């Protein structure tokens, strides 16, 4: 059990300062001082601007999740501090901040309507639930989300109620309980008047996941488009949705739509993780296309992707991304007929990383790729892709293509 | 309050007094000597509570983490100036932590391993009326999760633990002959002196006067150990399941 009564306890357990890079030390130090300041407050006051300034770069990266809270309000600023703590991986510190905000809000305060206080307390509980869910403490997460709903059940849906329902939906997804995922997501989408766009987007994303799991790929695609149309321009979620839609196109074996989706996502992707996902997805789509017996769409484009992947492989990637990049490089090299030893090197590196970080699903994929390589090098025709006249297949796809897939095709030409 | 200009003076003062608290400014990155001095002081006096003063214009975030790793109870933001209310609250919290540490060592508890972290957290928070929600927060759980955890682990309920923690802290103060039950009840925000006396008798089966004569905190600790043993045995019996003979 992890007992942290105050910031001092967290500091005593925090990673060694000397092992942190300067930015990381700055963030954690500022968060520690902020959390301690809040802990000493009797009433909720805004955090010190000089300390918030130390977190400016993180705060700018945080997605907007609350539609009804003025960002300049003290409660909104402290929720941002908690979100920043979560962002740098200090969930326990984030929880301390949220609980202290909740404790301050529990005291009746002149000038703050009880309805608002209840709503803000509910938001704190949804954030606590999220922290527990991400940490794998599912029972605790459920209690936190339910607590949020208990406090505002009779109130109109603003931010607290949708976040609680979406949290329960995401929790159900973690547990593979897809009927419950749908139930909670639909509850958010059914509300009239409709909830804020940010919550509808999340609900549609969850419904896309449910429909995809049920094998109803076109329904999943429609939900993804519904979410896409609600996302503001330039929002990183637009790229995430493009990637999801491209992956659905792969499942539907619409290789052209998938290629266009991944290309559009790569063009717009800012964060490294999204660039990795776009490139890996594009190579994966081409690999699957090839082994489905259709000709590769664009080998020049594939080589461009492989060059970019090689560049990323040389950078400091998160473990999962590092494995995926190496797998994609190996599979791409197989497709373009690259030297077997180069492929083997990439697969060995991917395997070592997958073992080290216990990424079991990627270990399985490494084995698949090794089998493919063996088939290629031993000239085993059973596993070699056969080429089919793509023209006929492509033409029939163009005729029967669903509008949602046509729309994906049109994305990269914008 | 004793203000010293250098670490040597601070050491002299610490050697000649108890119930002290170190208030130390968080140094800048360049001031390696200040950090070294603090770490040396800390290694010599690991039990003295520390309040760190942070100033955005002079202090380093990295040094904050380094001080924290060596043991800091509270951090007070000193810009634009140190607020008296913040410093007072920080001192009260440090004092409470110190009492909890001393109480723990003084009572020399023999308790189930799983109970110890929960009880230690409760003792640190016991200077004020303590809710299960607050205790849950300290253990990283929603209060319902904490209740389930205690039930699953065969521990007494969180409310029971809180009750004993508050009583133990009261017992610590009652061991000071100059204090009356009424004063202790007021300081620790018990409803009344009568309520405190009744709780002492109910939990320990001994009147408060007899407790004080024998050493309140230790007597309460022994009573708590017996109560925990009984409570844990009861929980074990409840979860043992049917006692039928498996043989036909």
């Amino acid at each position: 059990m992890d007992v942290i009564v105050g910031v001092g306890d967290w500091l005593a357990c925090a990673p060694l300062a000397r092992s942190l890079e300067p930015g990381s030390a700055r963030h954690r130090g500022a968060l520690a001082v902020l959390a301690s300041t809040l802990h000493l407050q009797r009433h909720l006051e805004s955090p010190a601007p000089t300390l918030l300034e130390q977190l400016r770069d993180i705060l700018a990266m945080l997605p907007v999740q609350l539609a009804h809270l003025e960002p300049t309000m003290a409660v909104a600023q402290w929720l941002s501090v908690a979100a920043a703590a979560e962002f740098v991986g200090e969930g326990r510190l984030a929880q301390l901040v949220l609980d202290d905000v909740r404790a301050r809000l529990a005291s009746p305060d002149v000038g703050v309507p009880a309805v608002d206080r209840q709503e803000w307390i509910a938001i704190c509980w949804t954030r606590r639930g999220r922290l527990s869910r991400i940490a794998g403490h599912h029972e605790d997460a459920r209690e936190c989300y339910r607590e949020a709903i208990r406090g505002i059940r009779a109130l109109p849906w603003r931010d607290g109620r949708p976040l609680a329902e979406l949290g329960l939906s995401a929790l159900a997804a973690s547990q593979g309980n897809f009927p419950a995922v749908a139930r909670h997501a639909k509850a958010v989408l059914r509300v009239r008047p409709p909830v804020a766009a940010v919550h509808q987007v999340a609900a549609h994303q969850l419904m896309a996941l449910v429909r995809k799991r049920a094998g109803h790929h076109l329904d999943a695609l429609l939900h993804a488009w519904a979410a896409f149309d609600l996302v503001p321009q330039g929002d990183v979620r637009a790229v995430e949705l493009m990637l999801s839609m491209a992956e659905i196109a792969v499942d539907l074996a619409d290789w052209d739509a998938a290629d266009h989706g991944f290309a559009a996502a790569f063009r717009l992707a800012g964060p490294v993780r999204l660039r990795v996902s776009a490139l890996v997805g594009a190579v994966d789509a081409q690999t699957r296309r090839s082994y489905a017996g259709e000709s590769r769409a664009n080998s020049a484009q594939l080589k461009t992707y492989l060059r970019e992947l090689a560049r990323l492989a040389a950078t400091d990637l998160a473990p999962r991304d590092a494995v995926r990049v190496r797998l994609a490089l190996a599979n791409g090299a197989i497709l373009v007929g690259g030297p077997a030893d180069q492929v083997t090197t990439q697969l060995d590196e991917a395997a070592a990383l997958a073992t080290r970080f216990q990424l079991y699903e990627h270990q399985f994929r490494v084995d698949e790729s090794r089998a493919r390589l063996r088939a290629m090098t031993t000239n085993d025709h059973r596993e070699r892709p056969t080429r089919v006249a793509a023209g006929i297949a492509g033409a029939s796809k163009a005729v029967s293509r669903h509008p949602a897939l046509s729309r994906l095709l049109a994305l990269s030409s914008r | 309050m004793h203000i010293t200009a250098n670490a040597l003076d601070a050491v002299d003062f610490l050697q000649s007094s108890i119930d002290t608290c170190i208030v130390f400014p968080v140094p800048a990155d360049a001031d390696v000597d200040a950090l070294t001095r603090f770490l040396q002081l800390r290694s010599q006096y690991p039990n003295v509570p520390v309040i760190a003063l942070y100033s955005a214009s002079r202090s380093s975030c990295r040094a904050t983490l380094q001080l924290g790793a060596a043991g800091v109870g509270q951090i007070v933001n000193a810009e634009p100036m140190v607020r008296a209310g913040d410093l007072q609250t920080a001192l009260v919290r440090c004092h409470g932590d110190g009492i909890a540490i001393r109480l723990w060592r003084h009572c020399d508890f023999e308790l189930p391993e799983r109970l110890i972290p929960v009880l230690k957290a409760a003792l640190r928070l016991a200077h004020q009326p303590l809710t299960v929600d607050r205790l849950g927060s300290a253990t990283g759980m929603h209060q319902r999760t904490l209740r389930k955890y205690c039930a699953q682990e065969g521990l007494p309920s969180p409310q029971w633990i809180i009750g004993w923690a508050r009583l133990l802290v009261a017992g610590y103060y009652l061991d000071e002959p100059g204090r009356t039950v009424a004063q202790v009840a007021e300081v620790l925000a018990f409803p009344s002196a009568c309520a405190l006396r009744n709780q002492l008798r109910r939990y320990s089966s001994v009147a408060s006067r007899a407790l004080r004569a024998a050493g309140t905190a230790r007597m309460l600790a022994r009573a708590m150990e017996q109560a925990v043993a009984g409570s844990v045995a009861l929980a074990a019996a409840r979860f043992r399941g049917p006692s039928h003979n498996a043989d036909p």
Side-chain angles (χ1 to χ4, degrees):
Chain A
M1 176 184 285
D2 181 17
V3 172
I4 296 186
V5 174
V7 177
D9 300 316
W10 177 80
L11 280 167
C13 307
L16 287 172
R18 63 172 174 271
S19 67
L20 294 172
E21 56 180 38
S24 192
R26 173 169 52 85
H27 295 144
R28 282 169 174 75
L31 284 166
V33 180
L34 279 164
S36 198
T37 308
L38 174 63
H39 202 58
L40 297 173
Q41 285 181 359
R42 284 175 198 172
H43 307 287
L44 200 65
E45 300 169 30
S46 286
T50 48
L51 287 166
L52 278 184
E53 186 59 32
Q54 305 280 2
L55 302 175
R56 180 205 282 261
D57 50 345
I58 297 178
L59 294 174
M61 284 194 275
L62 296 175
V64 173
Q65 280 197 316
L66 303 173
H68 296 276
L69 213 57
E70 194 57 49
T72 54
M73 296 175 77
V75 61
Q77 290 174 321
W78 282 114
L79 288 172
S80 294
V81 170
E86 185 190 343
F87 186 88
V88 300
E90 301 298 343
R92 204 65 173 84
L93 189 64
Q95 184 232 303
L96 269 181
V97 172
L98 289 168
D99 286 341
D100 274 336
V101 170
R102 205 165 45 78
R104 303 297 167 279
L105 290 172
S107 309
D109 194 356
V110 175
V112 178
V115 165
D116 287 340
R117 277 193 292 110
Q118 285 168 319
E119 170 75 9
W120 300 341
I121 289 171
I123 292 172
C124 290
W125 276 121
T126 64
R127 292 283 177 89
R128 279 278 277 109
R130 181 187 146 81
L131 291 168
S132 290
R133 176 173 63 81
I134 288 169
H137 304 143
H138 292 162
E139 274 307 308
D140 192 68
R142 185 171 291 110
E143 292 297 346
C144 291
Y145 290 130
R146 284 178 176 166
E147 186 72 45
I149 292 173
R150 259 194 295 274
I152 51 170
R153 195 183 291 279
L155 300 180
W157 290 46
R158 290 196 283 175
D159 288 315
R161 185 67 186 268
L163 284 170
E165 295 288 347
L166 290 167
L168 284 166
S169 186
L171 179 63
S174 307
Q175 297 174 312
N177 183 353
F178 290 98
V181 177
R183 188 170 67 246
H184 290 292
K186 282 180 185 173
V188 173
L189 291 171
R190 269 201 301 261
V191 173
R192 292 292 175 268
V195 297
V198 62
H199 305 312
Q200 290 184 59
V201 167
H204 277 300
Q205 283 179 298
L206 287 158
M207 283 306 302
L209 174 70
V210 171
R211 300 315 280 161
K212 191 177 170 187
R213 285 295 297 232
H216 301 146
H217 293 99
L218 282 173
D219 282 350
L221 196 57
L222 290 171
H223 275 291
W225 276 119
F228 185 85
D229 291 336
L230 289 167
V231 168
Q233 200 156 2
D235 192 304
V236 70
R237 280 170 297 179
V239 177
E240 290 171 351
L241 285 161
M242 281 181 205
L243 289 169
S244 296
M245 290 190 278
E247 285 163 11
I248 294 170
V250 169
D251 291 335
L252 287 167
D254 191 336
W255 314 113
D256 290 333
D259 282 344
H260 280 73
F262 285 123
F266 177 63
R267 214 178 47 253
L268 296 172
V272 169
R273 65 178 175 88
L274 293 179
R275 291 213 308 277
V276 167
S277 290
L279 290 167
V280 167
V283 171
D284 184 52
Q286 298 236 7
T287 305
R288 288 175 65 172
R289 180 179 201 152
S290 172
Y291 287 99
E294 293 197 26
S295 61
R296 282 196 304 278
N298 191 336
S299 62
Q301 189 182 54
L302 177 61
K303 286 178 179 167
T304 304
Y305 290 152
L306 291 176
R307 271 198 299 276
E308 187 59 29
L309 279 168
R311 198 188 62 73
L312 281 170
T315 63
D316 187 22
L317 295 171
R320 192 176 300 274
D321 285 344
V323 174
R324 294 169 72 207
V325 163
R326 281 159 179 80
L327 265 170
L329 279 168
N331 289 331
I334 293 173
L335 273 181
V336 301
D341 58 344
Q342 184 184 332
V343 175
T344 304
T345 303
Q346 296 292 352
L347 289 175
D348 288 345
E349 286 178 13
L353 284 166
T355 303
R356 187 173 151 207
F357 293 102
Q358 298 177 330
L359 301 168
Y360 301 115
E361 75 278 21
H362 294 294
Q363 284 176 331
F364 175 69
R365 291 200 185 113
V366 168
D367 293 339
E368 270 188 332
S369 296
R370 281 195 174 130
R372 224 176 277 141
L373 177 63
R374 264 197 306 277
M376 298 296 289
T377 52
T378 58
N379 219 15
D380 186 337
H381 292 283
R382 284 170 299 174
E383 289 205 54
R384 184 170 279 205
T386 51
R387 291 180 182 271
V388 174
I392 295 170
S396 67
K397 273 217 172 71
V399 167
S400 62
R401 182 175 279 126
H402 191 279
L405 286 163
S406 300
R407 200 179 160 189
L408 193 59
L409 260 177
L411 256 183
S412 71
S413 60
R414 272 209 256 138
Chain B
M1 178 180 291
H2 184 91
I3 298 173
T4 66
N6 58 62
L8 283 176
D9 280 354
V11 168
D12 285 343
F13 183 72
L14 287 168
Q15 284 175 339
S16 61
S17 61
I18 56 171
D19 281 334
T20 49
C21 175
I22 298 173
V23 181
F24 193 86
V26 178
D29 273 331
D31 195 352
V32 178
D33 287 344
L35 188 60
T36 308
R37 282 195 301 273
F38 172 79
L39 294 175
Q40 284 170 349
L41 198 64
R42 197 79 190 114
S43 65
Q44 289 169 331
Y45 299 95
N47 296 327
V48 177
V50 175
I51 296 174
L53 294 182
Y54 178 89
S55 166
S57 56
R58 286 189 295 272
S59 305
S60 139
C61 288
R62 188 182 294 275
T64 305
L65 297 177
Q66 288 169 315
L67 256 63
V72 164
Q74 306 287 331
I75 305 173
V76 173
N77 189 11
E79 278 197 358
M81 55 192 287
V82 177
R83 300 203 304 191
D86 288 349
L87 194 56
Q88 183 183 18
T89 306
L91 285 165
V92 166
R93 298 255 168 89
C94 283
H95 176 73
D97 286 350
I99 298 285
I101 292 171
R102 271 182 234 143
L103 188 55
W104 188 263
R105 288 183 184 151
H106 176 68
C107 292
D108 195 23
F109 290 95
E110 281 188 14
L111 293 167
E113 202 65 41
R114 303 174 306 280
L115 175 56
I116 289 172
V118 186
L119 180 60
K120 279 187 171 179
L123 284 172
R124 288 174 63 188
L125 297 166
H127 276 74
Q128 294 293 321
L130 178 57
T131 61
V132 178
D133 177 37
R134 182 68 184 93
L135 184 59
S137 174
T139 56
M141 296 187 232
H142 185 280
Q143 57 176 308
R144 289 188 181 202
T145 315
L146 179 59
R147 286 198 179 99
K148 283 181 198 168
Y149 169 82
C150 289
Q152 281 161 9
E153 297 294 321
L155 298 176
S157 71
Q159 204 59 51
W160 189 97
I161 296 169
I162 288 170
W164 272 103
R166 294 264 290 150
L167 216 56
L168 284 163
V169 171
Y172 177 89
Y173 284 107
L174 287 171
D175 280 341
E176 295 176 326
R179 298 190 190 271
T180 64
V181 175
Q183 285 171 347
V184 172
E186 186 177 342
V187 162
L188 296 180
F190 277 86
S192 65
C194 191
L196 177 54
R197 276 195 203 92
N198 288 341
Q199 193 170 343
L200 284 166
R201 189 179 8 246
R202 196 166 61 246
Y203 279 53
S204 66
S205 306
V206 179
S208 56
R209 194 171 294 187
L211 280 175
R212 294 192 83 168
T216 314
R218 276 188 186 270
M219 289 282 285
L220 285 171
R222 302 291 84 81
M224 184 189 178
E225 285 167 0
Q226 285 176 10
V228 167
S231 171
V232 170
L234 193 64
R238 213 163 35 237
F239 287 114
R240 206 175 290 137
S243 58
H244 65 272
N245 190 338
D247 295 329

